[in-house]
Amino acid sequence: MEMTTTVLSYSGGLDTTASIAWIKEKLGHEVITVTVDVGQQEDFKEIEERAYAAGAKKHYFVDAKEEFAKEFISTAIMANAMYEGKYPLSTALARPLIAKKVVDVAKQIKADAIAHGSTGKGNDQVRFEITIKALMPGIQVYSPVRDWNMNREDELKYVLSKGIPIKVSKSEFSIDENLWGRSIESGRLEDPWNEPPEEAFAWTTSPGKAPDTPEYVTVEFDGGIPTSINGSKMSLVDMIRELNATAGKHGVGRVDHIEDRVVGIKSREVYECPAAVSLIEAHQDIEKLTLTKSILEFKKLVENQWTNLIYSGLWADPLREPLEAFLKETQKVVSGEVRLKLHKGIVMPVGRRSKRALYRHELSTYTKASTFDQRQAVGFITIWGMQPLVYREVNGFEPGYT
Ligand code: ARG
């Protein structure tokens, strides 16, 4: 008899390790594990060994860092994506890509089902399941932690009883990491009044302990995409790596806010995203130099829609492509350089220049070099203020329209 095969999206942590053994034992399926590298700092050899120790029939490793940067992060930069004004979407953005890579393996080996390690309270289950079902219609999806109501204590006992080697982190925090940022949840952070303790952070220096001397970083953009740092061209992956280190050293990129999850829960979320925060700050600045007010204003609506789609697991929504087409069209002229100043937790654009700049010194200067005929402003004001002034004349000049 042919065995039923389930492909599991495998991070190497306790939840997904317990899931391997459970799927085999409870469902009697063969388990194929897939670990996708989206820039998390992990020992992938060790993860593979653990997958086999837990009973995986075959393990796949997929390096998706370049694709993550080129296809996902670059769009997030164009969209200045900050969910609820604060969260650069780091975890959210990687989910559809991980789902896609797991589906690729499932198709290749003609699997019968796909499983992932999300809980039933978060956004990740929504992101994984909708994307998986969009890419592989009709496939059975399991979420063992959620569907069998697993908890960490039982999982640990179960995994240890099977003799599976697992390093149980002493940390009270639940961490998710990729190139675009590090998400920190649970433990003491569940009380939103508690300040995140220093040990919650791994990528950023405490701003108070950051260097006294500021550091300047010049980011060059070409068509909305960062192409070089301090004059040296490098891949987006390398640029993000470098900025995570440099901006992180100066304590830049810490985020602490209350977030609205898709499932309606409000949660306290802490992040450190030094590169994301710095690059979006720089990108917004170069856009202001090169785009008109009308595009900047309208683009905010598109940015917000795109960010909400990605956050809420609707990467598969057909609205995404037309939104991205608009974003790309606007970026054709978004080229130039921004000089960022990093200092004690703050990133600030302090200089910008571009061949495409709409800034004209001869128009804005107050010196006699000005070519702007200021006498024309008189006629402009007369016409510009006509409607409100007529309205006031008809309805009264005082507030309250007496
Ligand atoms: N709240 C963030 C999001 O929904 C981060 C989730 C972090 N996930 C995790 N498994 N720790 O994107």
Side-chain angles (χ1 to χ4, degrees):
M1 199 190 82
E2 280 252 328
M3 284 278 271
T4 307
T5 305
T6 292
V7 174
L8 170 71
S9 177
Y10 184 62
S11 70
L14 179 60
D15 286 337
T16 48
T17 302
S19 298
I20 299 176
W22 277 58
I23 294 167
K24 284 186 67 176
E25 201 170 294
K26 306 257 163 188
L27 298 177
H29 294 184
E30 272 179 351
V31 180
I32 309 289
T33 47
V34 183
T35 299
V36 183
D37 178 3
V38 281
Q40 67 274 40
Q41 302 288 329
E42 294 274 8
D43 182 341
F44 294 108
K45 191 84 206 97
E46 200 180 293
I47 289 177
E48 172 169 354
E49 282 161 14
R50 193 174 306 132
Y52 284 121
K57 179 155 183 260
K58 191 166 168 43
H59 176 78
Y60 288 81
F61 169 79
V62 185
D63 179 355
K65 292 192 293 290
E66 285 294 332
E67 192 175 341
F68 186 40
K70 277 209 186 93
E71 309 292 330
F72 292 78
I73 293 177
S74 64
T75 315
I77 295 171
M78 291 188 212
N80 299 313
M82 286 285 181
Y83 180 66
E84 297 188 325
K86 288 271 197 170
Y87 166 40
L89 292 185
S90 35
T91 293
L93 201 56
R95 297 314 192 194
L97 178 58
I98 295 170
K100 206 166 142 206
K101 296 298 172 195
V102 171
V103 164
D104 286 347
V105 173
K107 284 184 173 165
Q108 191 190 318
I109 65 159
K110 299 189 169 48
D112 304 287
I114 292 178
H116 61 84
S118 317
T119 71
K121 302 187 92 170
N123 300 315
D124 289 332
Q125 52 174 344
V126 181
R127 297 168 183 149
F128 278 128
E129 285 180 30
I130 297 175
T131 310
I132 290 168
K133 287 177 171 162
L135 297 173
M136 205 169 173
I139 188 82
Q140 171 80 46
V141 182
Y142 297 105
S143 172
V145 181
R146 176 191 69 196
D147 301 342
W148 301 323
N149 224 349
M150 292 161 64
N151 63 69
R152 293 187 76 82
E153 291 85 348
D154 293 347
E155 285 171 19
L156 187 60
K157 259 193 248 147
Y158 182 70
V159 166
L160 292 177
S161 76
K162 303 235 163 258
I164 301 164
I166 184 126
K167 268 199 297 223
V168 186
S169 84
K170 298 249 174 353
S171 166
E172 63 192 286
F173 307 113
S174 155
I175 308 291
D176 178 69
E177 208 181 83
N178 65 46
L179 207 50
W180 206 224
R182 185 169 176 270
S183 308
I184 312 144
E185 290 178 317
S186 69
R188 261 172 291 173
L189 303 176
E190 285 183 358
D191 179 348
W193 184 248
N194 282 344
E195 181 177 355
E198 269 317 304
E199 60 267 29
F201 298 104
W203 292 9
T204 52
T205 312
S206 173
K209 296 209 175 96
D212 291 327
T213 317
E215 188 166 343
Y216 294 84
V217 174
T218 300
V219 183
E220 187 180 352
F221 290 88
D222 185 10
I225 310 292
T227 52
S228 81
I229 286 183
N230 293 333
S232 52
K233 294 234 176 285
M234 54 182 107
S235 73
L236 192 49
V237 172
D238 290 341
M239 239 181 296
I240 293 166
R241 284 253 153 90
E242 178 157 336
L243 270 176
N244 273 332
T246 314
K249 182 176 78 192
H250 288 276
V252 165
R254 291 188 177 186
V255 176
D256 175 355
H257 83 146
I258 298 292
E259 187 171 297
D260 288 288
R261 292 192 186 160
V262 198
V263 293
I265 296 172
K266 277 199 187 282
S267 67
R268 195 280 183 86
E269 300 285 331
V270 175
Y271 303 100
E272 39 189 354
C273 308
V277 166
S278 304
L279 284 175
I280 290 177
E281 196 63 59
H283 180 257
Q284 280 177 317
D285 195 74
I286 196 72
E287 279 193 323
K288 286 186 177 184
L289 186 66
T290 53
L291 297 180
T292 60
K293 181 179 172 180
S294 59
I295 291 186
L296 289 170
E297 275 186 357
F298 186 80
K299 186 169 176 283
K300 281 202 195 318
L301 303 174
V302 177
E303 292 174 355
N304 198 40
Q305 286 288 341
W306 188 87
T307 303
N308 282 332
L309 278 190
I310 298 301
Y311 182 83
S312 51
L314 295 176
W315 181 84
D317 194 293
L319 177 59
R320 183 175 56 84
E321 284 95 342
L323 293 177
E324 290 179 359
F326 174 85
L327 292 173
K328 290 210 175 87
E329 179 68 23
T330 62
Q331 299 300 297
K332 289 198 291 204
V333 296
V334 181
S335 300
E337 289 168 291
V338 177
R339 209 149 69 96
L340 294 175
K341 181 177 181 176
L342 307 166
H343 193 219
K344 296 209 176 280
I346 292 172
V347 55
M348 195 184 282
V350 293
R352 67 286 290 163
R353 62 182 176 193
S354 168
K355 284 203 281 279
R356 303 253 183 200
L358 304 181
Y359 174 90
R360 287 264 163 95
H361 182 256
E362 66 270 26
L363 291 179
S364 62
T365 181
Y366 289 109
T367 68
K368 65 174 189 287
S370 173
T371 57
F372 182 85
D373 180 358
Q374 47 178 325
R375 286 163 306 182
Q376 291 190 23
V378 179
F380 167 74
I381 294 166
T382 307
I383 295 167
W384 185 243
M386 200 166 60
Q387 275 210 353
L389 295 183
V390 169
Y391 181 94
R392 294 276 166 178
E393 209 178 292
V394 170
N395 296 297
F397 281 86
E398 299 300 324
Y401 312 125
T402 48

